[in-house]
PDB file of all heavy atoms in Angstrom:
ATOM      1  N   VAL A   1       0.804  -1.226   0.010  1.00 97.00           N
ATOM      2  CA  VAL A   1       0.049   0.040   0.002  1.00 97.00           C
ATOM      3  C   VAL A   1       0.895   1.242   0.017  1.00 97.00           C
ATOM      4  O   VAL A   1       0.506   2.296  -0.624  1.00 97.00           O
ATOM      5  CB  VAL A   1      -0.992  -0.021   1.157  1.00 97.00           C
ATOM      6  CG1 VAL A   1      -0.323   0.277   2.523  1.00 97.00           C
ATOM      7  CG2 VAL A   1      -2.149   0.973   0.925  1.00 97.00           C
ATOM      8  N   CYS A   2       2.026   1.236   0.656  1.00 97.00           N
ATOM      9  CA  CYS A   2       2.976   2.333   0.631  1.00 97.00           C
ATOM     10  C   CYS A   2       3.525   2.563  -0.812  1.00 97.00           C
ATOM     11  O   CYS A   2       3.772   3.676  -1.197  1.00 97.00           O
ATOM     12  CB  CYS A   2       4.037   2.136   1.665  1.00 97.00           C
ATOM     13  SG  CYS A   2       3.573   2.302   3.388  1.00 97.00           S
ATOM     14  N   LEU A   3       3.795   1.428  -1.466  1.00 97.00           N
ATOM     15  CA  LEU A   3       4.236   1.506  -2.838  1.00 97.00           C
ATOM     16  C   LEU A   3       3.226   2.115  -3.782  1.00 97.00           C
ATOM     17  O   LEU A   3       3.567   2.930  -4.674  1.00 97.00           O
ATOM     18  CB  LEU A   3       4.659   0.156  -3.361  1.00 97.00           C
ATOM     19  CG  LEU A   3       5.433   0.021  -4.683  1.00 97.00           C
ATOM     20  CD1 LEU A   3       6.677   0.843  -4.662  1.00 97.00           C
ATOM     21  CD2 LEU A   3       5.721  -1.431  -5.005  1.00 97.00           C
ATOM     22  N   ALA A   4       1.966   1.782  -3.552  1.00 96.00           N
ATOM     23  CA  ALA A   4       0.846   2.419  -4.306  1.00 96.00           C
ATOM     24  C   ALA A   4       0.769   3.888  -4.005  1.00 96.00           C
ATOM     25  O   ALA A   4       0.520   4.725  -4.920  1.00 96.00           O
ATOM     26  CB  ALA A   4      -0.399   1.705  -4.103  1.00 96.00           C
ATOM     27  N   GLY A   5       0.923   4.276  -2.728  1.00 95.00           N
ATOM     28  CA  GLY A   5       0.976   5.666  -2.335  1.00 95.00           C
ATOM     29  C   GLY A   5      -0.301   6.419  -2.359  1.00 95.00           C
ATOM     30  O   GLY A   5      -0.238   7.626  -2.374  1.00 95.00           O
ATOM     31  N   ARG A   6      -1.438   5.741  -2.458  1.00 96.00           N
ATOM     32  CA  ARG A   6      -2.707   6.455  -2.490  1.00 96.00           C
ATOM     33  C   ARG A   6      -3.647   5.888  -1.484  1.00 96.00           C
ATOM     34  O   ARG A   6      -3.551   4.658  -1.154  1.00 96.00           O
ATOM     35  CB  ARG A   6      -3.365   6.329  -3.926  1.00 96.00           C
ATOM     36  CG  ARG A   6      -2.491   6.994  -5.027  1.00 96.00           C
ATOM     37  CD  ARG A   6      -3.238   6.938  -6.381  1.00 96.00           C
ATOM     38  NE  ARG A   6      -4.387   7.687  -6.334  1.00 96.00           N
ATOM     39  CZ  ARG A   6      -4.498   8.987  -6.572  1.00 96.00           C
ATOM     40  NH1 ARG A   6      -3.315   9.657  -6.786  1.00 96.00           N
ATOM     41  NH2 ARG A   6      -5.655   9.652  -6.645  1.00 96.00           N
ATOM     42  N   PRO A   7      -4.653   6.623  -1.003  1.00 97.00           N
ATOM     43  CA  PRO A   7      -5.613   6.036  -0.102  1.00 97.00           C
ATOM     44  C   PRO A   7      -6.209   4.772  -0.693  1.00 97.00           C
ATOM     45  O   PRO A   7      -6.571   4.750  -1.904  1.00 97.00           O
ATOM     46  CB  PRO A   7      -6.703   7.160   0.082  1.00 97.00           C
ATOM     47  CG  PRO A   7      -5.978   8.459  -0.283  1.00 97.00           C
ATOM     48  CD  PRO A   7      -4.956   8.078  -1.338  1.00 97.00           C
ATOM     49  N   ALA A   8      -6.423   3.788   0.155  1.00 98.00           N
ATOM     50  CA  ALA A   8      -6.975   2.490  -0.364  1.00 98.00           C
ATOM     51  C   ALA A   8      -7.553   1.702   0.827  1.00 98.00           C
ATOM     52  O   ALA A   8      -7.304   1.993   2.006  1.00 98.00           O
ATOM     53  CB  ALA A   8      -5.856   1.686  -1.003  1.00 98.00           C
ATOM     54  N   ARG A   9      -8.347   0.731   0.460  1.00 98.00           N
ATOM     55  CA  ARG A   9      -8.852  -0.242   1.435  1.00 98.00           C
ATOM     56  C   ARG A   9      -7.893  -1.443   1.273  1.00 98.00           C
ATOM     57  O   ARG A   9      -7.684  -1.976   0.241  1.00 98.00           O
ATOM     58  CB  ARG A   9     -10.266  -0.666   1.107  1.00 98.00           C
ATOM     59  CG  ARG A   9     -10.833  -1.621   2.191  1.00 98.00           C
ATOM     60  CD  ARG A   9     -12.254  -1.957   1.827  1.00 98.00           C
ATOM     61  NE  ARG A   9     -12.958  -2.689   2.892  1.00 98.00           N
ATOM     62  CZ  ARG A   9     -14.267  -2.871   2.970  1.00 98.00           C
ATOM     63  NH1 ARG A   9     -15.085  -2.272   2.080  1.00 98.00           N
ATOM     64  NH2 ARG A   9     -14.764  -3.509   4.012  1.00 98.00           N
ATOM     65  N   MET A  10      -7.215  -1.777   2.448  1.00 98.00           N
ATOM     66  CA  MET A  10      -6.302  -2.898   2.451  1.00 98.00           C
ATOM     67  C   MET A  10      -6.868  -4.076   3.190  1.00 98.00           C
ATOM     68  O   MET A  10      -7.396  -3.950   4.321  1.00 98.00           O
ATOM     69  CB  MET A  10      -5.025  -2.427   3.181  1.00 98.00           C
ATOM     70  CG  MET A  10      -3.909  -3.488   3.204  1.00 98.00           C
ATOM     71  SD  MET A  10      -2.409  -2.827   4.019  1.00 98.00           S
ATOM     72  CE  MET A  10      -2.923  -2.787   5.739  1.00 98.00           C
ATOM     73  N   THR A  11      -6.915  -5.205   2.512  1.00 97.00           N
ATOM     74  CA  THR A  11      -7.483  -6.437   3.154  1.00 97.00           C
ATOM     75  C   THR A  11      -6.525  -7.567   3.075  1.00 97.00           C
ATOM     76  O   THR A  11      -5.401  -7.466   2.572  1.00 97.00           O
ATOM     77  CB  THR A  11      -8.804  -6.826   2.362  1.00 97.00           C
ATOM     78  OG1 THR A  11      -8.455  -7.044   0.996  1.00 97.00           O
ATOM     79  CG2 THR A  11      -9.798  -5.701   2.503  1.00 97.00           C
ATOM     80  N   GLY A  12      -6.909  -8.702   3.659  1.00 96.00           N
ATOM     81  CA  GLY A  12      -6.086  -9.867   3.733  1.00 96.00           C
ATOM     82  C   GLY A  12      -4.848  -9.628   4.574  1.00 96.00           C
ATOM     83  O   GLY A  12      -5.018  -9.068   5.685  1.00 96.00           O
ATOM     84  N   VAL A  13      -3.716 -10.061   4.157  1.00 94.00           N
ATOM     85  CA  VAL A  13      -2.459  -9.832   4.921  1.00 94.00           C
ATOM     86  C   VAL A  13      -1.731  -8.657   4.360  1.00 94.00           C
ATOM     87  O   VAL A  13      -0.513  -8.500   4.578  1.00 94.00           O
ATOM     88  CB  VAL A  13      -1.584 -11.041   4.933  1.00 94.00           C
ATOM     89  CG1 VAL A  13      -2.312 -12.247   5.669  1.00 94.00           C
ATOM     90  CG2 VAL A  13      -1.222 -11.524   3.506  1.00 94.00           C
ATOM     91  N   GLY A  14      -2.455  -7.749   3.676  1.00 93.00           N
ATOM     92  CA  GLY A  14      -1.845  -6.627   3.029  1.00 93.00           C
ATOM     93  C   GLY A  14      -1.763  -6.818   1.511  1.00 93.00           C
ATOM     94  O   GLY A  14      -1.390  -5.870   0.804  1.00 93.00           O
ATOM     95  N   ASP A  15      -2.197  -7.977   1.035  1.00 94.00           N
ATOM     96  CA  ASP A  15      -2.106  -8.262  -0.383  1.00 94.00           C
ATOM     97  C   ASP A  15      -3.380  -7.786  -1.194  1.00 94.00           C
ATOM     98  O   ASP A  15      -3.315  -7.726  -2.391  1.00 94.00           O
ATOM     99  CB  ASP A  15      -1.910  -9.795  -0.644  1.00 94.00           C
ATOM    100  CG  ASP A  15      -2.965 -10.618   0.116  1.00 94.00           C
ATOM    101  OD1 ASP A  15      -3.584 -10.134   1.003  1.00 94.00           O
ATOM    102  OD2 ASP A  15      -3.194 -11.757  -0.337  1.00 94.00           O
ATOM    103  N   GLY A  16      -4.399  -7.482  -0.421  1.00 96.00           N
ATOM    104  CA  GLY A  16      -5.623  -7.050  -1.093  1.00 96.00           C
ATOM    105  C   GLY A  16      -5.644  -5.489  -1.025  1.00 96.00           C
ATOM    106  O   GLY A  16      -5.884  -4.898  -0.002  1.00 96.00           O
ATOM    107  N   LEU A  17      -5.403  -4.808  -2.172  1.00 97.00           N
ATOM    108  CA  LEU A  17      -5.471  -3.388  -2.245  1.00 97.00           C
ATOM    109  C   LEU A  17      -6.675  -2.982  -3.184  1.00 97.00           C
ATOM    110  O   LEU A  17      -6.655  -3.369  -4.358  1.00 97.00           O
ATOM    111  CB  LEU A  17      -4.177  -2.823  -2.797  1.00 97.00           C
ATOM    112  CG  LEU A  17      -2.928  -2.966  -1.899  1.00 97.00           C
ATOM    113  CD1 LEU A  17      -1.735  -2.309  -2.574  1.00 97.00           C
ATOM    114  CD2 LEU A  17      -3.183  -2.381  -0.554  1.00 97.00           C
ATOM    115  N   HIS A  18      -7.555  -2.179  -2.603  1.00 97.00           N
ATOM    116  CA  HIS A  18      -8.742  -1.794  -3.351  1.00 97.00           C
ATOM    117  C   HIS A  18      -8.813  -0.310  -3.395  1.00 97.00           C
ATOM    118  O   HIS A  18      -9.040   0.352  -2.380  1.00 97.00           O
ATOM    119  CB  HIS A  18      -9.995  -2.352  -2.656  1.00 97.00           C
ATOM    120  CG  HIS A  18      -9.842  -3.820  -2.261  1.00 97.00           C
ATOM    121  ND1 HIS A  18     -10.065  -4.849  -3.158  1.00 97.00           N
ATOM    122  CD2 HIS A  18      -9.461  -4.456  -1.119  1.00 97.00           C
ATOM    123  CE1 HIS A  18      -9.863  -6.018  -2.613  1.00 97.00           C
ATOM    124  NE2 HIS A  18      -9.508  -5.798  -1.375  1.00 97.00           N
ATOM    125  N   PRO A  19      -8.654   0.347  -4.565  1.00 95.00           N
ATOM    126  CA  PRO A  19      -8.769   1.729  -4.745  1.00 95.00           C
ATOM    127  C   PRO A  19     -10.119   2.214  -4.257  1.00 95.00           C
ATOM    128  O   PRO A  19     -11.139   1.468  -4.429  1.00 95.00           O
ATOM    129  CB  PRO A  19      -8.618   1.994  -6.259  1.00 95.00           C
ATOM    130  CG  PRO A  19      -7.840   0.783  -6.715  1.00 95.00           C
ATOM    131  CD  PRO A  19      -8.294  -0.341  -5.919  1.00 95.00           C
ATOM    132  N   LEU A  20     -10.206   3.405  -3.632  1.00 97.00           N
ATOM    133  CA  LEU A  20     -11.474   3.888  -3.150  1.00 97.00           C
ATOM    134  C   LEU A  20     -12.377   4.334  -4.309  1.00 97.00           C
ATOM    135  O   LEU A  20     -11.920   5.001  -5.283  1.00 97.00           O
ATOM    136  CB  LEU A  20     -11.243   5.064  -2.188  1.00 97.00           C
ATOM    137  CG  LEU A  20     -10.405   4.790  -0.991  1.00 97.00           C
ATOM    138  CD1 LEU A  20     -10.295   5.978  -0.079  1.00 97.00           C
ATOM    139  CD2 LEU A  20     -10.888   3.527  -0.195  1.00 97.00           C
ATOM    140  N   ALA A  21     -13.682   3.997  -4.234  1.00 95.00           N
ATOM    141  CA  ALA A  21     -14.591   4.403  -5.263  1.00 95.00           C
ATOM    142  C   ALA A  21     -14.771   5.914  -5.289  1.00 95.00           C
ATOM    143  O   ALA A  21     -15.056   6.512  -6.310  1.00 95.00           O
ATOM    144  CB  ALA A  21     -15.914   3.709  -5.026  1.00 95.00           C
ATOM    145  N   HIS A  22     -14.597   6.556  -4.090  1.00 95.00           N
ATOM    146  CA  HIS A  22     -14.740   8.001  -3.982  1.00 95.00           C
ATOM    147  C   HIS A  22     -13.558   8.453  -3.238  1.00 95.00           C
ATOM    148  O   HIS A  22     -13.110   7.939  -2.240  1.00 95.00           O
ATOM    149  CB  HIS A  22     -16.025   8.329  -3.263  1.00 95.00           C
ATOM    150  CG  HIS A  22     -17.262   7.632  -3.799  1.00 95.00           C
ATOM    151  ND1 HIS A  22     -17.818   7.958  -5.014  1.00 95.00           N
ATOM    152  CD2 HIS A  22     -17.967   6.611  -3.283  1.00 95.00           C
ATOM    153  CE1 HIS A  22     -18.853   7.202  -5.174  1.00 95.00           C
ATOM    154  NE2 HIS A  22     -19.029   6.345  -4.129  1.00 95.00           N
ATOM    155  N   PRO A  23     -12.995   9.646  -3.650  1.00 96.00           N
ATOM    156  CA  PRO A  23     -11.841  10.168  -2.942  1.00 96.00           C
ATOM    157  C   PRO A  23     -12.173  10.644  -1.503  1.00 96.00           C
ATOM    158  O   PRO A  23     -13.371  11.017  -1.255  1.00 96.00           O
ATOM    159  CB  PRO A  23     -11.386  11.364  -3.814  1.00 96.00           C
ATOM    160  CG  PRO A  23     -12.609  11.770  -4.556  1.00 96.00           C
ATOM    161  CD  PRO A  23     -13.390  10.494  -4.771  1.00 96.00           C
ATOM    162  N   LEU A  24     -11.236  10.612  -0.624  1.00 97.00           N
ATOM    163  CA  LEU A  24     -11.442  11.172   0.684  1.00 97.00           C
ATOM    164  C   LEU A  24     -11.565  12.672   0.571  1.00 97.00           C
ATOM    165  O   LEU A  24     -10.903  13.278  -0.200  1.00 97.00           O
ATOM    166  CB  LEU A  24     -10.281  10.733   1.648  1.00 97.00           C
ATOM    167  CG  LEU A  24     -10.131   9.260   1.924  1.00 97.00           C
ATOM    168  CD1 LEU A  24      -8.887   9.042   2.807  1.00 97.00           C
ATOM    169  CD2 LEU A  24     -11.326   8.697   2.652  1.00 97.00           C
ATOM    170  N   PRO A  25     -12.416  13.278   1.439  1.00 98.00           N
ATOM    171  CA  PRO A  25     -12.480  14.708   1.408  1.00 98.00           C
ATOM    172  C   PRO A  25     -11.248  15.408   1.971  1.00 98.00           C
ATOM    173  O   PRO A  25     -10.499  14.766   2.721  1.00 98.00           O
ATOM    174  CB  PRO A  25     -13.717  14.946   2.334  1.00 98.00           C
ATOM    175  CG  PRO A  25     -13.705  13.829   3.297  1.00 98.00           C
ATOM    176  CD  PRO A  25     -13.208  12.653   2.485  1.00 98.00           C
ATOM    177  N   PRO A  26     -11.000  16.639   1.619  1.00 98.00           N
ATOM    178  CA  PRO A  26      -9.911  17.358   2.202  1.00 98.00           C
ATOM    179  C   PRO A  26      -9.979  17.348   3.734  1.00 98.00           C
ATOM    180  O   PRO A  26     -11.041  17.589   4.314  1.00 98.00           O
ATOM    181  CB  PRO A  26      -9.970  18.819   1.626  1.00 98.00           C
ATOM    182  CG  PRO A  26     -10.848  18.593   0.364  1.00 98.00           C
ATOM    183  CD  PRO A  26     -11.791  17.477   0.678  1.00 98.00           C
ATOM    184  N   ALA A  27      -8.820  17.131   4.371  1.00 98.00           N
ATOM    185  CA  ALA A  27      -8.789  17.049   5.870  1.00 98.00           C
ATOM    186  C   ALA A  27      -7.334  17.235   6.232  1.00 98.00           C
ATOM    187  O   ALA A  27      -6.391  17.145   5.390  1.00 98.00           O
ATOM    188  CB  ALA A  27      -9.353  15.804   6.367  1.00 98.00           C
ATOM    189  N   ALA A  28      -7.120  17.451   7.533  1.00 98.00           N
ATOM    190  CA  ALA A  28      -5.764  17.578   8.090  1.00 98.00           C
ATOM    191  C   ALA A  28      -5.615  16.698   9.276  1.00 98.00           C
ATOM    192  O   ALA A  28      -6.634  16.434   9.961  1.00 98.00           O
ATOM    193  CB  ALA A  28      -5.402  19.007   8.415  1.00 98.00           C
ATOM    194  N   LEU A  29      -4.449  16.238   9.540  1.00 98.00           N
ATOM    195  CA  LEU A  29      -4.184  15.390  10.718  1.00 98.00           C
ATOM    196  C   LEU A  29      -3.111  16.027  11.634  1.00 98.00           C
ATOM    197  O   LEU A  29      -2.284  16.838  11.157  1.00 98.00           O
ATOM    198  CB  LEU A  29      -3.619  14.047  10.271  1.00 98.00           C
ATOM    199  CG  LEU A  29      -4.514  13.184   9.393  1.00 98.00           C
ATOM    200  CD1 LEU A  29      -3.768  11.893   9.005  1.00 98.00           C
ATOM    201  CD2 LEU A  29      -5.840  12.850  10.039  1.00 98.00           C
TER     202      LEU A  29
END
């Protein structure tokens, strides 16, 4: 998921990477 470098849903043992159907809204952490 770090190699992909984009928000995603990660499943399994890290091998399931699912791009988000909708982008996350602007926010800060």
